[in-house]
Amino acid sequence: MTKKPRYSRQRDAILEILKNDDGHIEAPEIHRRLRKIHPKLSLATVYRNLAQLESLKKISSIKNDSNINFFEIYREPHHHFVCEKCGGIQNLTYPTINICTSCISPHSNFKINKVATTLHGVCESCNVSQKLLNITKSF
Amino acid sequence: MTKKPRYSRQRDAILEILKNDDGHIEAPEIHRRLRKIHPKLSLATVYRNLAQLESLKKISSIKNDSNINFFEIYREPHHHFVCEKCGGIQNLTYPTINICTSCISPHSNFKINKVATTLHGVCESCNVSQKLLNITKSF
DNA sequence: AGTCTAAATAGTATTGATTCCTACTTAGTT
DNA sequence: AACTAAGTAGGAATCAATACTATTTAGACT
Ligand SMILES: [Mn+2]
Ligand SMILES: [Mn+2]
Ligand SMILES: [Zn+2]
Ligand SMILES: [Zn+2]
């Protein structure tokens, strides 16, 4: 139905960055990295292509609590941990919880595209620096 | 540790709106409703108090795909359905999945504050109007 | 190989929910 | 009644993301 998009050097480079990264990257970071080789690349182009790639299910995105969108190459569905302090995102390697999808199917007229389980809290490194701060405060 | 906040007529009214609503409301909607009785209420005040009430666990919030924050009175933990078309949010009445919390606890230095499972898709009413649109297009 | 056109891009302006700022007000303690 | 830290109103600022527009380009078709 939806036809295949035309090739673009820029989109290809964006996808390549994500293929070779095992984390979750922001659009401006992708832009920064590609600028070294494609000095004319526009940030708007990065955003436009990321949106397109996501709708083609080649990549996926997740937002942190500050509404910043992080992108990664499409992987097996998995869950995420979002740090409330630094905004960093980490993968959780526990099996996907599919029960929701099957549970809601009785509500037949819903169309479910994505199930996201996200834990919010304070990550290891932020937690440690928090503790250190408390110690120094007590003096 | 954190001391109880001072009483405020505005905060009380905001909480009252949420207590008497079973849905998920945006800050501007709360503002609109309260303006009828408190014409001088500032939208910034609504946002500030919603943030405070949430940190006191009296209310909770969830964002739709357009980053708009919806608020509700604190309830038993539950999951949500977010419509990609209209941005509306609905509760899912299936039992909370706690396994993630217990699974990750071995990663001891994480602090988990919130577990959110959210389904993204097209809600019943949007789905129906989508179908009607397709029918009219085929003429 | 040249022509054509819809899709893509660069660069910039705009959006819009939320937060910040500051002078003023007020709850509540002494 | 006086004091003060917390809260408010109103408006400005923020900033990730999107919209806009003139220009370029992939790739289809002669
Ligand atoms: Mn991931
Ligand atoms: Mn809810
Ligand atoms: Zn962190
Ligand atoms: Zn909908």
Side-chain angles (χ1 to χ4, degrees):
Chain A
M1 203 71 200
T2 46
K3 77 171 133 175
K4 186 183 166 186
R6 218 174 64 175
Y7 171 84
S8 112
R9 188 188 315 283
Q10 291 87 336
R11 188 188 308 123
D12 210 47
I14 291 164
L15 194 55
E16 208 55 34
I17 290 279
L18 291 170
K19 272 182 187 164
N20 297 321
D21 194 293
D22 60 353
H24 305 82
I25 328 181
E26 299 163 73
E29 171 63 17
I30 294 171
H31 184 236
R32 224 173 288 128
R33 294 193 197 172
L34 287 175
R35 269 286 173 106
K36 293 168 186 168
I37 309 147
H38 302 265
K40 307 208 77 179
L41 178 67
S42 165
L43 181 56
T45 298
V46 175
Y47 277 110
R48 188 173 5 85
N49 279 300
L50 286 170
Q52 192 191 73
L53 288 167
E54 184 167 19
S55 77
L56 294 170
K57 310 267 187 199
K58 299 209 171 183
I59 65 174
S60 65
S61 74
I62 173 169
K63 292 189 174 100
N64 72 7
D65 292 342
S66 306
N67 286 335
I68 294 174
N69 221 346
F70 290 77
F71 298 88
E72 67 180 323
I73 196 78
Y74 190 85
R75 298 193 175 95
E76 288 280 291
H78 57 274
H79 307 314
H80 290 103
F81 177 86
V82 177
C83 179
E84 294 162 354
K85 284 266 190 304
C86 68
I89 291 178
Q90 299 177 41
N91 286 336
L92 299 181
T93 53
Y94 300 106
T96 310
I97 299 149
N98 290 317
I99 59 164
C100 275
T101 323
S102 54
C103 274
I104 207 178
S105 52
H107 298 243
S108 51
N109 277 320
F110 280 72
K111 188 183 165 209
I112 296 166
N113 294 328
K114 188 176 171 182
V115 180
T117 294
T118 310
L119 309 194
H120 301 253
V122 184
C123 77
E124 192 156 4
S125 64
C126 286
N127 218 358
V128 169
S129 51
Q130 184 72 42
K131 283 173 185 167
L132 286 174
L133 187 67
N134 286 339
I135 289 167
T136 56
K137 270 186 181 170
S138 68
F139 281 105
Chain B
M1 204 71 201
T2 45
K3 78 171 133 176
K4 186 183 167 185
R6 219 174 65 175
Y7 171 85
S8 113
R9 187 188 315 283
Q10 291 87 337
R11 188 188 308 124
D12 211 47
I14 290 164
L15 194 56
E16 209 55 34
I17 291 278
L18 290 170
K19 273 182 186 163
N20 298 321
D21 194 292
D22 60 352
H24 305 83
I25 329 180
E26 298 163 74
E29 171 63 17
I30 295 171
H31 185 236
R32 223 173 287 129
R33 294 193 198 173
L34 286 175
R35 269 284 173 109
K36 293 169 186 167
I37 309 147
H38 303 266
K40 307 208 76 178
L41 178 67
S42 165
L43 180 57
T45 298
V46 175
Y47 276 109
R48 188 173 4 86
N49 279 300
L50 286 170
Q52 192 190 73
L53 288 167
E54 184 167 19
S55 76
L56 295 169
K57 309 267 187 199
K58 299 208 170 183
I59 65 174
S60 64
S61 73
I62 173 169
K63 293 189 173 98
N64 71 8
D65 292 342
S66 307
N67 286 336
I68 294 174
N69 222 345
F70 290 77
F71 298 88
E72 67 180 323
I73 197 78
Y74 191 84
R75 298 195 175 94
E76 289 279 291
H78 58 275
H79 306 313
H80 291 103
F81 177 86
V82 177
C83 180
E84 294 162 354
K85 283 266 190 305
C86 68
I89 289 178
Q90 299 179 41
N91 285 336
L92 298 181
T93 53
Y94 302 105
T96 310
I97 299 149
N98 289 319
I99 57 164
C100 276
T101 323
S102 54
C103 274
I104 205 177
S105 53
H107 297 242
S108 49
N109 278 319
F110 280 74
K111 187 183 164 208
I112 295 166
N113 293 329
K114 188 177 171 182
V115 180
T117 294
T118 309
L119 309 194
H120 301 254
V122 184
C123 78
E124 190 156 6
S125 64
C126 285
N127 219 355
V128 169
S129 51
Q130 185 71 43
K131 282 174 187 168
L132 285 174
L133 187 66
N134 285 340
I135 290 167
T136 56
K137 270 185 181 171
S138 67
F139 281 105

